[in-house]
Amino acid sequence: MRLRRLELIDIRSYDRVVVTFGPGVTVLVGPNAQGKTNLLEAIHRAATGSSHRVSGDGPLVRAGSDHGVVRCELLGDDGRRRTLELEVGVGRRTRTKVDGQQVRRAADAVGALRVALFAPEDIAIVRGDPGERRRFLDDLLTQRRPAFGAARAEYDRALRQRNQLLKRARGLPADARAAAAATIDVWTEQLVTHGTQLIAARIAAVRALSGPVDRFYRELADRPEPVSIRYQASAGRDLGVPDVTEDPSLVPDPAPIADAFRAALAEAAEDEFARGLTLVGPHRDDLELTIGALPAKGYASHGEVWSLALALKLATVQVLAEVGDRPVVLLDDVFAELDTTRRDRLALACAGFEQVLVTAAVEADVPLEGARIEVAQADGLTRLRPREGAAGAA
Amino acid sequence: MYEGAVQDLIDELGRLPGVGPKSAQRIAFHLMQADTADASRLAEAITQVKATVRFCQRCWNISEAEECRICRDPRRDEAVVCVVEEARDVVAIERTREYRGRYHVLGGAISPIDGVGPDELHVKELLGRLDDEPVEELILATNPNVEGEATASYLSRLVTPLGVRVTRLASGLPVGGDLDYADEVTLGRAFLGRRELGV
């Protein structure tokens, strides 16, 4: 799909701007702190329901204003035109409209615009803590299957309730504990029901990613070693479902996962009461990344980390494109972080994408043909000036 | 800040659910400009509600007598009891005119975050009714969210061993809607709850 036109009113450093984008590559060029990332952030927020920089929509509104608007005009792969509009207010819920109709839940708008964003922070997927890798998987799944977001919210709710119960029962003598935790079994059951859905969906995502990640890594890295990714469940190493299947899009059978999850919870019961915390479940799972025979975290060099993070992101573009529209690729300040060989290899991969929006402080860093828009601030407000070419702004 | 009585009224209104400071102010000014008779009627209605309305001693529905209208009605089937979270759920189910049994209002759902466990709900009273009344079926009509499901599952574990048939309201597709508009979760549940088409 393509983002044809973007309008921002009172968003971050923009008071009002309208910009049109053509197919292929558009590079937003300008010195740092002028508003390039703000633009990509707004697009990413509209597409996924959350910002990659902050939680909550309040900070998106331009300082001094009480609400802002993000309006996207989209062109689907099937030629269908759609609009996606966000009205963001300080201290109130964001209103989202698809094709002029207000959606009941924010999750219903996810998927109208599909994006894959890559920013320098993304090396945390390889280097950071497990939470970063869970978020990477969940962001992909939310865009691939809108219902995943709902399942995730229900799991989080059941988890909070169960933790609260465990916290209250912590340190009580056995008989008082039984009374305080009389409902622990039903919360365990809720946790297993919703958690199993998350684990199954994530395993399916890992299966779908593993082939493309390996291929993209070999294309990007200096030493083309094989890369493997594997879902590491806190419920146990063996969930009774295969890591790899002939049909990578297959969602694993939930029954054995639920059994393993339930058994692991039963085993951890004493620990959980002692610590007042749920110790097993998708909220503690991880993604195991291996380059050659070594775990990427802790062993990979800086260049390998970058190549793997890029390969993971490029693989998500492909996985998303397998079901539904091809996503718009957003590259936020990525080229500056790469050496010349990797820049060229990334540029080569970008050539295959429907639409790519790139930000860069130094134009020479980006070895890509395509439209250029200059980004500069005047009096604290960002102005966009397209150079002669495919793109135009008003 | 306004003077004395006006600010008091705004503060009181602002404590109501769903009423923010702006709305409280608007309602207060509306009441000040309204006829004295209209304002008195509202005040009287509030006083009356607190003085006369209480909870049915059998099913904990809102009632003006010892027992509510439904529990007093001899035509209602004693063998079926529908368990709901709130009294307003009774009203919603009554509107369907499909149900001829009795009710039991729990007064909420199990939610450790809000400090609500079985003891805070009318669960003991429900078990008492199963002892005293010839109940054959318990319909669990708690909300189809995490807390409602947990409550239903808790009650089911408690009651099933007593030999009472326990059923749960189906969740699925809205009537009159299009299949392709249903979200995946709802559609998925509708598949799980599918039934034979009788001939």
Side-chain angles (χ1 to χ4, degrees):
Chain A
M1 74 163 31
R2 255 163 62 196
L3 175 62
R4 293 184 65 241
R5 181 177 179 277
L6 174 72
E7 185 176 356
L8 299 177
I9 301 171
D10 289 331
I11 295 290
R12 293 278 194 189
S13 58
Y14 295 85
D15 60 340
R16 185 168 187 282
V17 69
V18 176
V19 56
T20 56
F21 297 105
V25 175
T26 301
V27 185
L28 297 146
V29 199
N32 286 324
Q34 302 297 303
K36 301 185 300 288
T37 296
N38 294 343
L39 193 120
L40 294 197
E41 179 192 32
I43 298 170
H44 183 258
R45 165 64 189 85
T48 61
S50 64
S51 155
H52 70 293
R53 294 203 291 188
V54 291
S55 65
D57 284 341
L60 260 60
V61 179
R62 184 169 67 89
S65 178
D66 66 349
H67 80 286
V69 176
V70 180
R71 198 172 283 140
C72 307
E73 262 182 46
L74 313 167
L75 184 68
D77 285 351
D78 55 0
R80 197 153 83 98
R81 281 160 193 255
R82 303 190 80 177
T83 62
L84 172 64
E85 189 180 322
L86 262 66
E87 203 187 300
V88 191
V90 176
R92 62 181 159 89
R93 232 162 58 106
T94 297
R95 265 192 292 227
T96 309
K97 286 181 183 171
V98 177
D99 293 334
Q101 293 288 317
Q102 190 164 334
V103 297
R104 206 159 47 86
R105 290 174 303 192
D108 293 338
V110 173
L113 167 60
R114 309 181 98 193
V115 300
L117 170 79
F118 192 34
E121 302 91 66
D122 287 335
I123 55 166
I125 299 169
V126 181
R127 274 206 178 142
D129 56 22
E132 302 282 349
R133 288 179 283 283
R134 290 194 293 268
R135 200 158 59 117
F136 163 73
L137 281 181
D138 289 356
D139 284 352
L140 167 65
L141 281 159
T142 310
Q143 285 207 69
R144 191 162 143 126
R145 296 180 47 211
F148 182 85
R152 172 83 230 222
E154 298 218 303
Y155 177 78
D156 288 344
R157 184 92 190 146
L159 178 66
R160 275 183 61 206
Q161 295 279 22
R162 193 172 184 274
N163 278 343
Q164 181 65 36
L165 203 63
L166 288 168
K167 202 165 118 194
R168 203 147 359 112
R170 175 163 64 171
L172 292 178
D175 51 334
R177 193 174 87 182
T183 60
I184 189 75
D185 288 348
V186 301
W187 290 114
T188 302
E189 210 38 55
Q190 290 293 312
L191 197 76
V192 170
T193 307
H194 299 296
T196 299
Q197 284 184 37
L198 297 197
I199 297 173
R202 285 182 184 166
I203 290 175
V206 170
R207 285 176 181 173
L209 284 169
S210 69
V213 169
D214 182 52
R215 209 183 57 244
F216 281 120
Y217 183 81
R218 288 167 199 254
E219 281 174 22
L220 289 164
D222 302 321
R223 271 193 307 162
E225 289 183 280
V227 163
S228 78
I229 68 172
R230 187 176 180 285
Y231 191 67
Q232 199 174 43
S234 53
R237 189 145 181 97
D238 182 21
L239 291 178
V241 294
D243 284 336
V244 190
T245 49
E246 292 216 348
D247 175 5
S249 66
L250 211 62
V251 179
D253 180 13
I257 297 174
D259 290 344
F261 191 1
R262 212 176 278 120
L265 281 167
E267 204 169 303
E270 273 309 311
D271 264 4
E272 289 194 332
F273 275 117
R275 294 180 56 185
L277 210 60
T278 300
L279 297 173
V280 181
H283 66 293
R284 290 175 83 99
D285 292 355
D286 199 354
L287 190 64
E288 200 180 79
L289 302 167
T290 318
I291 302 173
L294 294 172
K297 191 180 174 178
Y299 289 92
S301 70
H302 188 69
E304 286 172 329
V305 168
W306 266 101
S307 299
L308 182 52
L310 268 173
L312 284 163
K313 281 287 169 160
L314 294 172
T316 66
V317 177
Q318 181 172 337
V319 167
L320 278 174
E322 278 164 8
V323 261
D325 277 25
R326 290 170 291 176
V328 176
V329 177
L330 310 173
L331 298 173
D332 189 11
D333 247 349
V334 172
F335 283 95
E337 306 275 345
L338 304 174
D339 54 37
T340 328
T341 23
R342 277 190 192 79
R343 278 179 196 163
D344 290 338
R345 288 170 192 161
L346 176 60
L348 204 65
C350 285
F353 298 138
E354 163 83 0
Q355 189 178 41
V356 188
L357 307 182
V358 185
T359 68
V362 181
E363 199 182 340
D365 286 351
V366 186
L368 283 166
E369 298 283 313
R372 298 284 189 272
I373 297 177
E374 282 170 19
V375 183
Q377 275 193 8
D379 305 325
L381 296 172
T382 304
R383 297 278 168 248
L384 302 180
R385 209 159 42 93
R387 279 202 218 130
E388 291 305 303
Chain B
M1 288 293 273
Y2 296 91
E3 276 181 45
V6 182
Q7 191 60 43
D8 288 348
L9 179 59
I10 294 174
D11 288 347
E12 288 303 323
L13 289 169
R15 269 194 264 279
L16 299 175
V19 181
K22 282 264 168 60
S23 304
Q25 192 175 322
R26 210 165 73 218
I27 298 168
F29 275 89
H30 172 84
L31 289 172
M32 278 189 283
Q33 280 158 9
D35 286 348
T36 310
D38 285 342
S40 304
R41 244 195 339 270
L42 175 65
E44 177 62 14
I46 295 172
T47 317
Q48 274 292 317
V49 121
K50 288 313 285 179
T52 62
V53 174
R54 41 197 177 148
F55 295 100
C56 171
Q57 286 311 295
R58 190 193 288 251
C59 75
W60 300 93
N61 189 8
I62 289 164
S63 170
E64 288 205 349
E66 183 83 6
E67 288 194 353
C68 74
R69 193 173 42 78
I70 296 168
C71 285
R72 287 200 311 266
D73 187 345
R75 291 167 304 175
R76 306 287 296 219
D77 187 354
E78 265 193 316
V80 189
V81 171
C82 178
V83 181
V84 295
E85 288 181 20
E86 303 288 349
R88 55 176 189 271
D89 300 329
V90 173
V91 178
I93 296 175
E94 281 300 287
R95 273 201 303 263
T96 66
R97 304 202 186 148
E98 293 285 340
Y99 180 65
R100 299 303 302 159
R102 307 272 173 105
Y103 291 94
H104 190 83
V105 181
L106 291 172
I110 297 173
S111 173
I113 294 171
D114 304 306
V116 180
D119 294 346
E120 280 71 38
L121 304 172
H122 299 298
V123 171
K124 249 188 234 90
E125 291 85 345
L126 176 65
L127 296 178
R129 288 182 70 184
L130 297 180
D131 272 344
D132 301 341
E133 297 170 33
V135 180
E136 287 165 19
E137 181 181 355
L138 206 61
I139 303 172
L140 301 176
T142 50
N143 289 328
N145 53 28
V146 173
E147 289 78 17
E149 294 293 349
T151 308
S153 142
Y154 177 78
L155 290 175
S156 163
R157 283 158 190 245
L158 212 58
V159 171
T160 309
L162 306 177
V164 178
R165 179 173 180 233
V166 178
T167 55
R168 176 95 175 101
L169 280 196
S171 60
L173 299 172
V175 175
D178 288 338
L179 202 68
D180 61 346
Y181 273 106
D183 63 87
E184 273 184 57
V185 180
T186 306
L187 202 51
R189 290 220 182 127
F191 260 96
L192 287 176
R194 71 189 183 277
R195 58 189 165 76
E196 300 272 344
L197 210 57
V199 187

